[in-house]
Structure formats: C-alpha cells, structure tokens
Amino acid sequence: MLQINDVHAGYGNLKILRGVNMQVPTGGIVTLLGGNGTGKSTLLKAVSGLIPLMEGEVLFDGVSISKMKPHERMRLGLVQVTQAKEAYPAMTVEENLVLGAYTRRDRAGILADLERVYEFFPVLRERRKQLSGTLSGGEVQMLVIGRGLMAKPKMLMLDEPSAALAPKVVLEIFANINRIAKTGVTILVVEQNVRMALILAQYGYIIRDGVIMIEGEAKKLISDPAVKESFLGGSVANTAKALRN
Ligand SMILES: Nc1ncnc2c1ncn2[C@@H]1O[C@H](COP(=O)(O)OP(=O)(O)O)[C@@H](O)[C@H]1O
Ligand SMILES: [Mg+2]
C-alpha cells in the first residue's frame, strides 16, 4: 500500500533522512522504531507531505504522491495522526473530531464515522461536550486517533501513541489500534516502546541516524540481540548528550 523508495528529507539544508526504504503492505500493522531524534517523525512528515523530499519517491497504492499536497494525500486515504499534544485544547472533543473530516463533504458519512469513533472510544462520547484541554493523557491520545479516523483513512500513521502514558493506558491504546487494524485500516505506527510495538505489529523497521538499520518480522526482531543492543546504545548516547547540555 505504501512504498518509500530511497527517501532523503530534512529541514532547509539539514538532511535528516539519508535514503530510507520501507514498505507497508495492505492490512495489518507495521512499526517504525528508533530512539529520540533518529528521524521517525521526520519520515512521517515526508510521507504525509508536511516537508518536501530532497530525493527519492513515495508511492501510495502504486501512485507517486511525492509532489502532492498534504490534503490531497489525505483525500487518497493516507492520514497522519500527529502527536497527542496537538489536540486543540480550547475546542470540545466533538469539535476536534469533526475537524478531522475537513477534507470530506459527505455529511451523512461524517456523522456515521463520528458514531463509529464513539463506538471505538466510548469515553469520547461521554466527554463530547467537554473541552479537550480537560482530558487525561490517554483520552487525548484516543481523541487524536479518533480525529484521524474521521478522515476515513485507508492507512493511518501514528506517531508515538504510547508516549508519556501509564503502562495500563498504553495497553488500552494498543488494543484499540489492533481493533482499528481489524476493521481493515492499514497501520504504520512509530514507537519508542519497542517491546509493545513488536507485540502489536507484524513487521518492524529500526531507524538510526536517518537510515533503516534492521528490518524483519516482528516475532524475529523481538528476540534479536542486535535490536536490544541498538536501543540500549541509542539511549546511552542520548543520556550522555542530555547530561552535556
Ligand atoms: N522543524 C525542524 N527544524 C530543524 N530540525 C528539526 C526539526 N524537527 C526535527 N528536527 C531535527 O531532526 C532530527 C530528527 O527529528 P525527529 O524526526 O523529530 O526525531 P524522532 O521523531 O525520531 O524523535 C532531530 O535532530 C531534530 O532535532
Ligand atoms: Mg518524533
């Protein structure tokens, strides 16, 4: 469904991604793992069109989308869920959800999908008139995923849905992602929670310094010593960096 071919991208003259190759087949869940600052969010931005490619190509359902605007990609069904803090706190839960459907004109379909989101996340229905700024971290995460569903995705890209959440809430969010995948929405999930993501996904990629280091079936990666080592290496380097700042 999604094919990322030799993608180079970054900010201004600063190159972050240096030739990324990835594939996400239709159906199921693929995860992209990597430590802080390794280029995960940058890759999602390049795929959803928020930053331009320097080199390479992105195909969606066999069509090159590299030059399309973000809303055009959304209309094709390629939808990125941004990090949870990007819900609008001064809008109600329902207003935030409806905002997710801004590229659509089918009013009946939008209302049906709102109902579907409330079935996935009953707590959002309970809180639909409440300002998003009053939600818990887990509820905000459900809200941004729900907002993504309102765009009627064929493929949903999630950026660290487990970030800053308690382990019990992470489990709940991941169970929901699994249920969404079972309805036929293909999922690409970026994570730092390696263990959980590899349990959830069928296939995984590990990025470091802007290139894919390791890829494989999630079942195999989870027991791969190189996977553990690469993450430990990353976190030690990051800690050392943080201490120097
Ligand atoms: N808007 C930006 N302008 C310049 N550099 C950025 C910007 N966003 C991210 N970066 C840099 O790009 C690198 C990768 O960032 P990012 O893709 O957000 O990493 P990750 O999501 O894996 O934590 C980091 O070094 C970060 O500082
Ligand atoms: Mg990120």
Side-chain angles (χ1 to χ4, degrees):
M1 172 166 277
L2 181 71
Q3 207 165 336
I4 299 168
N5 294 337
D6 191 33
V7 160
H8 296 242
Y11 307 94
N13 291 327
L14 177 66
K15 191 180 270 195
I16 303 293
L17 304 175
R18 297 178 294 120
V20 171
N21 291 290
M22 280 177 63
Q23 271 164 47
V24 182
T26 302
I29 305 175
V30 170
T31 188
L32 172 64
L33 305 167
N36 230 341
T38 49
K40 303 184 299 301
S41 295
T42 302
L43 182 70
L44 292 193
K45 283 185 233 171
V47 170
S48 58
L50 298 176
I51 59 170
L53 302 186
M54 294 169 171
E55 278 178 59
E57 193 171 38
V58 180
L59 303 173
F60 187 65
D61 281 342
V63 176
S64 175
I65 57 167
S66 308
K67 301 239 158 26
M68 287 184 188
K69 300 218 159 59
H71 70 270
E72 294 172 320
R73 303 184 199 204
M74 263 180 90
R75 240 179 243 137
L76 291 179
L78 179 61
V79 175
Q80 184 188 349
V81 173
T82 49
Q83 282 173 345
K85 51 182 189 279
E86 292 171 44
Y88 296 96
M91 290 171 65
T92 66
V93 165
E94 191 152 288
E95 285 164 351
N96 259 288
L97 288 174
V98 169
L99 202 63
Y102 82 96
T103 56
R104 300 172 59 186
R105 294 287 170 267
D106 55 324
R107 196 178 149 72
I110 292 170
L111 289 175
D113 282 342
L114 188 60
E115 191 54 35
R116 191 167 77 110
V117 169
Y118 286 146
E119 275 159 29
F120 268 118
F121 303 111
V123 69
L124 295 183
R125 189 200 299 275
E126 283 166 32
R127 303 192 185 289
R128 66 185 187 278
K129 303 280 181 224
Q130 208 169 304
L131 294 182
S132 303
T134 65
L135 298 179
S136 73
E139 288 162 357
V140 174
Q141 188 58 58
M142 292 177 201
L143 176 60
V144 293
I145 295 174
R147 195 169 59 191
L149 289 174
M150 291 302 294
K152 222 177 184 41
K154 285 186 193 160
M155 180 170 160
L156 205 51
M157 301 191 288
L158 303 165
D159 198 346
E160 296 200 36
S162 80
L165 298 181
K168 198 178 137 234
V169 184
V170 173
L171 262 180
E172 195 184 332
I173 296 286
F174 276 35
N176 278 311
I177 294 171
N178 208 22
R179 280 171 59 214
I180 291 167
K182 290 225 161 77
T183 68
V185 178
T186 303
I187 307 251
L188 172 60
V189 57
V190 162
E191 263 300 336
Q192 291 201 53
N193 190 332
V194 177
R195 174 169 294 275
M196 284 293 292
L198 287 177
I199 290 170
L200 177 76
Q202 285 89 52
Y203 200 87
Y205 290 87
I206 298 180
I207 188 169
R208 191 170 185 181
D209 295 334
V211 288
I212 300 296
M213 276 183 58
I214 307 174
E215 66 173 277
E217 281 175 38
K219 269 196 216 94
K220 289 190 181 138
L221 290 182
I222 210 163
S223 55
D224 184 341
V227 171
K228 279 183 193 158
E229 199 180 320
S230 98
F231 278 98
L232 196 59
S235 66
V236 169
N238 284 334
T239 310
K241 195 174 149 201
L243 285 175
R244 281 198 301 276
N245 288 338

